[in-house]
Amino acid sequence: MTMTFEDAAMALVEVGRRLDARGWAPATAGNYSARLDDGSIAITTSGKHKGRLTGADIMRVSLDGTPLTPGRPSAETGLHLALYRAFPDVDAVLHGHSPHAVGLSRAIPDATEWVFRGHEMLKIYPGIDTHETEAHLPIVDNSQDMEAIEAAVAAARLAPGAAPAYLIRSHGLYSWGRDVAEAEHILEATEWLIAAELAEMAFRNGSVR
Amino acid sequence: MTMTFEDAAMALVEVGRRLDARGWAPATAGNYSARLDDGSIAITTSGKHKGRLTGADIMRVSLDGTPLTPGRPSAETGLHLALYRAFPDVDAVLHGHSPHAVGLSRAIPDATEWVFRGHEMLKIYPGIDTHETEAHLPIVDNSQDMEAIEAAVAAARLAPGAAPAYLIRSHGLYSWGRDVAEAEHILEATEWLIAAELAEMAFRNGSVR
Amino acid sequence: MTMTFEDAAMALVEVGRRLDARGWAPATAGNYSARLDDGSIAITTSGKHKGRLTGADIMRVSLDGTPLTPGRPSAETGLHLALYRAFPDVDAVLHGHSPHAVGLSRAIPDATEWVFRGHEMLKIYPGIDTHETEAHLPIVDNSQDMEAIEAAVAAARLAPGAAPAYLIRSHGLYSWGRDVAEAEHILEATEWLIAAELAEMAFRNGSVR
Amino acid sequence: MTMTFEDAAMALVEVGRRLDARGWAPATAGNYSARLDDGSIAITTSGKHKGRLTGADIMRVSLDGTPLTPGRPSAETGLHLALYRAFPDVDAVLHGHSPHAVGLSRAIPDATEWVFRGHEMLKIYPGIDTHETEAHLPIVDNSQDMEAIEAAVAAARLAPGAAPAYLIRSHGLYSWGRDVAEAEHILEATEWLIAAELAEMAFRNGSVR
């Protein structure tokens, strides 16, 4: 499938509106990108509210991070580019912020992953065709140094059973896919799984009394 | 009442938008169907986001599951058809996914039902005209084999006091009705009942301290 | 202020859309009314989804309940009319259904009221001009007999410090005001107060661990 | 940047719609303001639903509170003006009401602040460029006397590490910024931080069982 800058920009603007409507794009948090036909990357610029983007808030960078159009790319551009370099068939990366995902990451401060088990929703993840399985969501500590985050998560996100997503503690969730739609599906499914497990815990706490 | 394919397709597209707005249609989860005048079934195709369906994402199958128009029917088509065969006056089936319903099903892993008691909202269920009653929501384990789910739930959904809905554990909620509107009312009412009981538990936990 | 049937119908249609968007009008639950210039009452008919009303779903009844236009008035019309008879300056009554309010009413099955104390939001209630006060939300048991509900709540809703609202256990919340806007403000404020106290309990449970 | 009354009115009308959509503007609660080019302040009038403002619901007052156009300014105008006088580079002030923030303030009735630690989201606050820090959200008791609130919070909001926001107990949250967009970002980020910490507590309560 061909992806022009104009198509990518429109898709990233729209995804921002949807994530904001779900409460996952507060203030200026979040950054979204897509790989274009020429191998360069369309990515949101820094400092805009992601629920109210326009095409002018999307810029292009090369796969090594060189800006190809005017604008200040997100400080987390490096994390996007590392995913494009690691996964040649990945053409979109989304980074959202939900209170639930961040709350989970802080509640288990020493954990390096959260494991989802037995959910039908796991079939949204590519390569999973049964609920009788588990998926590992890597959790990595936050850092001012993007390369440190990338180094910490690289092995985990390549491990067997790793979800096409990872969670930076006290920060937010990354997801990726073959196009913006798939990356958004994975983000939605992962957030849904976290919300379902929180509801499960609440019902367990209630039902034992 | 007459139901053409065009009417059914429009109703199913609309119901997808509404369920998505409530957070019950993440990623590509969910499938919706309606019985047409000629006895065939209009059903959502597989793999689309249910909040952004168009008429092209609805296909027709016969009551025995034979595709009558191009498209790949949902893997869960069999569960829809079993309901149409069991209940001649049922003309719509909806399958949604809320974190609350799935969380409930996982919190009580050995239960085969959840009982709602004394709610005014129970009057939404056909045949109930007083809150001084109870309704049984069957809960069935998930399976890769749709026939196994159908076999497990068939007796429970025909039992006295059974809600016109059932819950597949770690998966989601089925509801049905005489038309798409009624099936949606039953889905909304059932999700509302689950949310109200979760709030009840939270207040109980809080008020005892 | 003058209130024609057309104005009232439009206001009730709009309030239904807003309550539905907040999740307080599931399935066909809820009924809304307004007093007209001629002393008759515009009220929603039975059995429609309140988030998708049209003007055709509003009818007129006299203050004693006699239908003045075609249609089946809500089974709870008597509770609306009792409020109009009791409070001559009340020109609108709303009845909504939130999981939070119903959950609260069930968590305290023997209580006849819930008391809000010290909230700035109490100033939304007419006659309250300081947060250094309390307001009593009457809670009455549900009944199939609307006259029994009315008899049970009549004294409580006239008592000093009573909120312009009451809660029917396992059922939902009534609010009223001098116009539809005020009745909606009181409904929103009361639901907000319940949600704030639930959040307070959750933080208390969390902070003690 | 220049800010005319018309620009400010439009921005305040829009921010009201957005805060209402998030559930932070129930009934007629809330007030919003912006500093204009001539040094006067545009502020919402009292008693309107903030989700349905029009330009006619915005008035002008001088920095000492003298009305410059017809209308009844919010009773909390003094709190807005104190912020404009204290911070010459602040050109917008927002006051919203979420159940979460108010619930937090009531759960810790003796606390004079809440401390956010280690969140990436803290970078939304001006002057913070690392998550390896903490921000102090002052909490002040509510009062009928706006000058008493202002006196109680003045030192705290000027202290090192103070967030550009404060919380009035049982009442709501104030935030400010160099323009309406920044004040809204700070409000959203602060509410998000509170929601994330509530989710963290819920997961902690769940995970220990």
Side-chain angles (χ1 to χ4, degrees):
Chain A
M1 140 178 128
T2 64
M3 177 61 90
T4 66
F5 178 76
E6 286 70 24
D7 291 341
M10 188 180 303
L12 298 178
V13 165
E14 282 299 309
V15 88
R17 289 185 189 164
R18 290 197 292 257
L19 299 198
D20 179 41
R22 298 185 196 277
W24 302 341
T28 60
N31 34 77
Y32 320 134
S33 68
R35 186 171 355 220
L36 305 179
D37 290 341
D38 65 1
S40 69
I41 307 297
I43 190 164
T44 47
T45 57
S46 187
K48 300 297 177 67
H49 196 295
K50 299 306 178 292
R52 304 193 273 283
L53 294 174
T54 70
D57 302 317
I58 316 294
M59 66 177 294
R60 280 176 58 230
V61 299
S62 70
L63 200 55
D64 65 7
T66 309
L68 302 176
T69 56
R72 183 161 66 95
S74 163
E76 297 182 37
T77 299
L79 295 177
H80 289 246
L81 299 179
L83 289 163
Y84 290 117
R85 288 190 298 257
F87 300 117
D89 60 344
V90 163
D91 283 347
V93 176
L94 300 178
H95 176 41
H97 301 75
S98 80
H100 281 178
V102 168
L104 169 62
S105 75
R106 290 169 66 92
I108 48 173
D110 300 319
T112 59
E113 64 177 17
W114 182 257
V115 185
F116 300 116
R117 288 189 179 89
H119 283 278
E120 180 75 11
M121 192 64 68
L122 292 174
K123 293 183 182 174
I124 298 295
Y125 292 155
I128 293 185
D129 57 7
T130 173
H131 66 278
E132 294 170 331
T133 189
E134 58 186 37
H136 296 240
L137 179 69
I139 304 177
V140 59
D141 283 338
N142 199 12
S143 168
Q144 291 307 110
D145 179 352
M146 292 298 127
E147 292 183 17
I149 295 177
E150 172 54 23
V153 81
R157 64 168 167 64
L158 294 168
Y166 68 84
L167 181 52
I168 308 178
R169 182 167 285 115
S170 291
H171 183 151
L173 190 68
Y174 269 88
S175 76
W176 53 89
R178 286 163 298 181
D179 53 29
V180 174
E182 187 175 274
E184 186 182 4
H185 295 168
I186 289 164
L187 190 70
E188 282 189 8
T190 306
E191 292 289 358
W192 186 97
L193 286 162
I194 292 171
E197 301 217 345
L198 184 57
E200 177 184 344
M201 289 178 189
F203 276 114
R204 282 186 193 276
N205 284 356
S207 63
V208 297
R209 292 175 193 212
Chain B
M1 128 179 138
T2 64
M3 175 62 89
T4 66
F5 177 76
E6 287 70 26
D7 291 341
M10 189 179 303
L12 298 178
V13 165
E14 282 299 310
V15 88
R17 289 185 189 164
R18 290 197 293 257
L19 299 198
D20 179 41
R22 298 186 197 275
W24 304 340
T28 61
N31 34 77
Y32 320 133
S33 68
R35 188 175 345 224
L36 305 179
D37 290 341
D38 66 1
S40 70
I41 307 296
I43 190 164
T44 47
T45 57
S46 188
K48 299 298 177 66
H49 196 295
K50 300 306 177 293
R52 304 193 273 282
L53 294 174
T54 70
D57 302 317
I58 316 293
M59 66 177 294
R60 279 176 59 231
V61 300
S62 70
L63 200 55
D64 66 5
T66 308
L68 302 176
T69 56
R72 183 162 65 95
S74 162
E76 298 183 37
T77 299
L79 295 177
H80 289 246
L81 299 180
L83 288 163
Y84 290 117
R85 289 192 297 256
F87 299 117
D89 60 344
V90 162
D91 283 347
V93 176
L94 300 178
H95 176 41
H97 301 76
S98 80
H100 282 178
V102 167
L104 168 62
S105 75
R106 290 168 67 93
I108 47 174
D110 301 318
T112 59
E113 65 177 16
W114 182 258
V115 184
F116 300 116
R117 288 188 180 88
H119 283 280
E120 180 74 11
M121 193 64 68
L122 292 174
K123 293 184 184 174
I124 298 295
Y125 292 156
I128 293 186
D129 57 8
T130 173
H131 66 278
E132 293 172 332
T133 190
E134 58 185 38
H136 296 240
L137 179 69
I139 304 177
V140 60
D141 283 338
N142 199 12
S143 169
Q144 290 308 109
D145 180 351
M146 293 297 127
E147 293 183 16
I149 295 176
E150 172 54 23
V153 81
R157 64 167 166 66
L158 293 168
Y166 68 84
L167 182 52
I168 309 177
R169 182 168 284 115
S170 290
H171 183 151
L173 189 68
Y174 269 88
S175 75
W176 52 90
R178 285 165 297 182
D179 53 28
V180 174
E182 188 176 274
E184 186 182 4
H185 296 168
I186 290 164
L187 190 70
E188 283 189 9
T190 306
E191 292 288 358
W192 186 96
L193 286 162
I194 293 171
E197 301 218 344
L198 184 57
E200 177 184 343
M201 289 178 189
F203 276 113
R204 281 186 193 275
N205 285 355
S207 63
V208 297
R209 292 174 195 214
Chain C
M1 135 178 131
T2 65
M3 176 61 89
T4 66
F5 178 76
E6 286 69 26
D7 291 342
M10 189 180 302
L12 298 178
V13 165
E14 281 300 308
V15 87
R17 289 185 190 164
R18 290 197 293 257
L19 299 198
D20 180 41
R22 298 187 195 277
W24 304 339
T28 60
N31 34 75
Y32 320 134
S33 68
R35 188 174 348 223
L36 305 179
D37 290 341
D38 65 1
S40 69
I41 307 297
I43 190 163
T44 47
T45 57
S46 187
K48 299 297 178 66
H49 196 296
K50 299 307 177 293
R52 303 193 274 283
L53 294 174
T54 70
D57 302 318
I58 316 293
M59 65 178 295
R60 278 176 59 229
V61 299
S62 70
L63 200 55
D64 64 7
T66 308
L68 301 176
T69 55
R72 185 161 64 95
S74 163
E76 297 183 37
T77 298
L79 295 178
H80 289 246
L81 299 180
L83 289 163
Y84 289 117
R85 288 191 298 257
F87 300 116
D89 59 344
V90 162
D91 282 348
V93 176
L94 300 178
H95 176 41
H97 301 76
S98 80
H100 281 179
V102 167
L104 168 62
S105 74
R106 291 168 66 92
I108 48 173
D110 300 319
T112 59
E113 65 177 18
W114 182 258
V115 184
F116 300 116
R117 289 190 180 87
H119 283 279
E120 180 75 10
M121 193 63 69
L122 292 174
K123 293 184 184 173
I124 298 295
Y125 292 156
I128 293 185
D129 57 7
T130 173
H131 66 278
E132 294 171 332
T133 189
E134 58 185 37
H136 296 241
L137 178 70
I139 304 178
V140 58
D141 283 338
N142 199 11
S143 169
Q144 291 308 110
D145 180 351
M146 292 297 127
E147 292 184 17
I149 295 177
E150 172 54 23
V153 81
R157 63 169 168 64
L158 293 168
Y166 67 85
L167 181 53
I168 308 178
R169 182 168 283 116
S170 289
H171 183 150
L173 189 69
Y174 270 87
S175 75
W176 52 90
R178 285 164 298 181
D179 54 28
V180 173
E182 188 176 272
E184 186 182 4
H185 296 168
I186 289 165
L187 189 70
E188 283 189 9
T190 306
E191 292 288 358
W192 186 97
L193 286 162
I194 293 171
E197 301 218 345
L198 185 58
E200 178 184 343
M201 289 178 190
F203 276 113
R204 282 186 193 274
N205 285 355
S207 62
V208 296
R209 294 177 192 212
Chain D
M1 139 179 129
T2 65
M3 176 61 90
T4 66
F5 177 76
E6 287 69 27
D7 291 342
M10 189 180 302
L12 297 178
V13 165
E14 281 300 308
V15 87
R17 289 186 189 164
R18 291 197 292 256
L19 299 198
D20 180 41
R22 298 185 197 277
W24 303 340
T28 60
N31 35 76
Y32 320 133
S33 69
R35 187 172 352 220
L36 305 179
D37 290 341
D38 66 1
S40 69
I41 307 297
I43 190 164
T44 47
T45 56
S46 186
K48 299 297 177 67
H49 196 296
K50 300 306 177 294
R52 304 194 272 283
L53 294 174
T54 69
D57 302 318
I58 316 294
M59 65 177 295
R60 279 176 59 230
V61 299
S62 70
L63 200 55
D64 64 8
T66 308
L68 302 176
T69 56
R72 183 160 67 94
S74 164
E76 297 182 37
T77 299
L79 295 178
H80 289 247
L81 299 179
L83 289 163
Y84 290 116
R85 288 191 299 256
F87 300 116
D89 60 344
V90 162
D91 282 347
V93 176
L94 300 178
H95 176 40
H97 301 76
S98 80
H100 281 178
V102 168
L104 169 62
S105 75
R106 290 168 66 92
I108 48 174
D110 300 319
T112 58
E113 65 176 18
W114 183 258
V115 184
F116 300 116
R117 288 190 179 87
H119 283 279
E120 180 74 12
M121 192 63 68
L122 291 174
K123 293 183 183 174
I124 297 296
Y125 292 155
I128 293 184
D129 57 7
T130 172
H131 66 279
E132 294 171 333
T133 189
E134 59 186 36
H136 296 241
L137 178 69
I139 304 177
V140 59
D141 283 338
N142 199 11
S143 169
Q144 291 307 110
D145 179 351
M146 292 297 127
E147 292 183 17
I149 295 176
E150 173 53 23
V153 81
R157 63 168 168 65
L158 294 169
Y166 68 84
L167 181 53
I168 309 178
R169 183 168 283 117
S170 290
H171 183 150
L173 190 68
Y174 270 87
S175 74
W176 52 89
R178 286 164 297 182
D179 52 29
V180 174
E182 188 177 273
E184 186 182 4
H185 296 168
I186 289 164
L187 189 70
E188 283 189 8
T190 306
E191 291 289 358
W192 187 97
L193 286 162
I194 292 171
E197 301 217 345
L198 184 57
E200 177 184 344
M201 289 179 190
F203 275 114
R204 282 187 193 274
N205 284 356
S207 63
V208 296
R209 292 175 193 214

